[in-house]
């Protein structure tokens, strides 16, 4: 896909806000008729700018309101170990984010659980699957900001 223009960026912003918004509303908001707007959305999807459209659920109402960050240090730094660790984490639905880090922590995981007992069960599942040198858990006391929106200002810069 060619460089993103103002129409594309506005469409992306609107879809991030509410992906269920009717096409006619999106088209009107960006100043296009529905057919060209739909073609742009399809091109944005084909180019991978839109990976998928999902519903954002209320974690508290679904009894997954506790956020825990799990910092992992390891003495093992091989591709084989990383692949095993990835496989160990991959099918644990409580773990929603998984990062390889720079600095003192090797990996950072973010999990949603219902309570401390649920975290303890998750921890036991994790350590039964792979050896870890050091695990530190940090529970979020209050969520001050959380968004799924990607800042689009970088995409507006010269490509």
């Amino acid at each position: 896909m060619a460089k993103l223009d103002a129409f594309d960026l506005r469409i992306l912003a609107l879809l991030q806000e509410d992906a269920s918004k009717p096409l006619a509303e999106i088209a009107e908001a960006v100043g296009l008729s529905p057919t060209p707007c739909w073609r742009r959305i399809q091109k944005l999807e084909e180019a991978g700018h839109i990976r998928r459209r999902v519903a954002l659920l209320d974690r508290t109402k679904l009894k997954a309101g506790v956020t825990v960050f799990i910092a992992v240090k390891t003495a093992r730094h091989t591709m084989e170990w990383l692949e095993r660790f990835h496989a160990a984490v991959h099918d644990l639905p409580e773990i929603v984010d998984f990062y390889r880090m720079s600095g003192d922590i090797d990996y950072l995981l973010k999990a949603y659980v219902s309570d401390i007992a649920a975290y303890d069960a998750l921890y036991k599942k994790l350590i039964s699957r792979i050896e870890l040198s050091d695990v530190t858990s940090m529970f979020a006391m209050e969520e001050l900001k959380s968004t799924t929106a990607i800042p689009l200002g970088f995409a507006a810069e010269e490509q």
Side-chain angles (χ1 to χ4, degrees):
M1 182 170 188
K3 178 181 172 185
L4 298 177
D5 65 15
F7 290 113
D8 296 325
L9 293 173
R10 185 71 181 126
I11 289 168
L12 291 172
L14 290 166
L15 288 174
Q16 282 194 115
E17 188 179 299
D18 181 0
S20 69
K21 192 176 294 254
L23 176 63
E25 283 184 36
I26 295 170
E28 183 179 338
V30 300
L32 293 171
S33 62
T35 301
C37 184
W38 176 242
R39 276 194 226 113
R40 282 177 178 267
I41 291 171
Q42 287 178 315
K43 286 181 180 176
L44 290 164
E45 287 176 331
E46 290 167 8
H49 291 71
I50 300 170
R51 293 189 319 184
R52 64 180 182 238
R53 300 185 214 184
V54 299
L56 300 178
L57 308 179
D58 187 311
R59 292 182 297 106
T60 303
K61 289 182 179 181
L62 296 168
K63 297 182 172 52
V66 176
T67 303
V68 59
F69 296 93
I70 307 160
V72 174
K73 293 182 187 179
T74 183
R76 306 280 311 271
H77 294 279
T78 65
M79 279 306 295
E80 182 268 334
W81 187 88
L82 175 56
E83 289 168 2
R84 283 185 36 239
F85 187 33
H86 185 266
V89 168
H90 185 264
D91 68 339
L92 296 172
E94 301 91 339
I95 298 176
V96 296
D97 290 318
F98 178 28
Y99 301 96
R100 186 167 54 89
M101 306 294 288
S102 65
D104 292 335
I105 295 169
D106 296 311
Y107 301 93
L108 184 65
L109 295 81
K110 179 180 172 184
Y112 296 139
V113 294
S114 58
D115 55 25
I116 299 294
Y119 171 69
D120 188 47
L122 172 63
Y123 172 81
K124 288 175 181 172
K125 277 191 257 183
L126 185 60
I127 64 169
S128 74
R129 295 175 176 203
I130 192 151
E131 62 186 74
L132 302 173
S133 299
D134 185 16
V135 179
T136 302
S137 303
M138 298 159 282
F139 292 86
M141 301 301 293
E142 181 180 11
E143 186 175 274
L144 300 173
K145 179 180 179 180
S146 178
T147 182
T148 61
I150 304 299
L152 297 173
F154 303 111
E157 296 172 1
E158 199 62 36
Q159 295 182 354

